[in-house]
Amino acid sequence: MAKQVAVIGSGVMGHGIAQEYALAGYTVFLYDLQESFLLKAKRSVENSLSLLVKEQVISEQAKQDALERIVLTTDLQAAVAKADVITEAIPEVIEMKWDLFEKLEQFAKEDAIIASNTSTFSIARLIEKAKTPQRIIITHFFNPAQLVPLVEIVRHEKTADAVVSRTMELMVEIGKSPVLLKKDVPGFIANRLQTALMREAFSLLKEGVADAREIDTVMKDGIGFRWAFVGPIETADFGGLDTWKRVIDNLAPELNASQKAPELIDELVEKGKLGTKTGSGIYSYADTSVEEKWKQRDEQFIRLAKMKRG
Ligand SMILES: NC(=O)c1ccc[n+]([C@@H]2O[C@H](COP(=O)([O-])OP(=O)(O)OC[C@H]3O[C@@H](n4cnc5c(N)ncnc54)[C@H](O)[C@@H]3O)[C@@H](O)[C@H]2O)c1
């Protein structure tokens, strides 16, 4: 079987998804609107692969082979013509996704799987205008896509069973940990859990219960330390369901239940302080360069992944 895939959009997510397929031996056609975006994406892949070599996860030869398997193109038709699987990672704008799907349905092989990396649209919304919904599926990777194992898979009742099983197999083949949802709900599973936690974290910050650094420490050294190995439902079992019944009954009424983003985030967005990508957000990144921060984060993720595998 031909081992060729296409990734459409080479930004934050697209380059990492391309890297995963390339490392697993697939020829990857990586498409974007401009050559300069593609060159930036390839540099990011090269840096990420170099880090994997430094951390002894892959060999220098595997790095070179993966880089050679990534073909950059600004020609959409050429990108998808021979692909068995096409993953779109273009901006989260529904009209853009519909417009792209229309082209993909026209240019792609009849049996090619079309996967979306959407983080918020339901599969029902994505396929609203599709002529071949049976081959459309969501594969929701996590940032950084090349390092976080989870991929949430969302199907529609119109998605062919064979497409679902092939996608699940493929994710395992490229080293991912796929979770297939039984229902199409907004935000899937991970972003719902994450949003519930972020809402409370920002509420504690606003109420002056602790500074950002302390709140992050509680997560990294407490809850998050456990959660890398024990999920929330297991945690309830380990802690005792009688205890957790009291915890939830007593605390649920105390929790923030806001229906919108925290004011602090609104204010910072208004000022253009978007976090690492603009050099400051909740924290300032004046002392350590943002690139260095990202590199440190990725090194830690690589080491955690090794430990989890090991
Ligand atoms: N950033 C995240 O943390 C994250 C996590 C999971 C899922 N997602 C989802 O992944 C998708 C991509 O997000 P991102 O953060 O990588 O965005 P991004 O802005 O970093 O990258 C999008 C890329 O798509 C290109 N593009 C724009 N219009 C295009 C078009 N019509 N055809 C082809 N390419 C086009 C852009 O030039 C850009 O390079 C979105 O659906 C997003 O919701 C993002």
Side-chain angles (χ1 to χ4, degrees), residues 260-276:
K260 56 186 280 298
E263 274 164 31
L264 177 59
I265 293 191
D266 277 347
E267 283 164 21
L268 291 173
V269 169
E270 187 76 16
K271 288 182 189 150
K273 295 186 171 187
L274 306 184
T276 53

Side-chain angles (χ1 to χ4, degrees), residues 138-153:
I138 292 172
T139 53
H140 182 226
F141 288 73
F142 276 73
N143 183 26
Q146 70 277 22
L147 299 180
V148 182
L150 178 66
V151 180
E152 290 176 303
I153 311 286

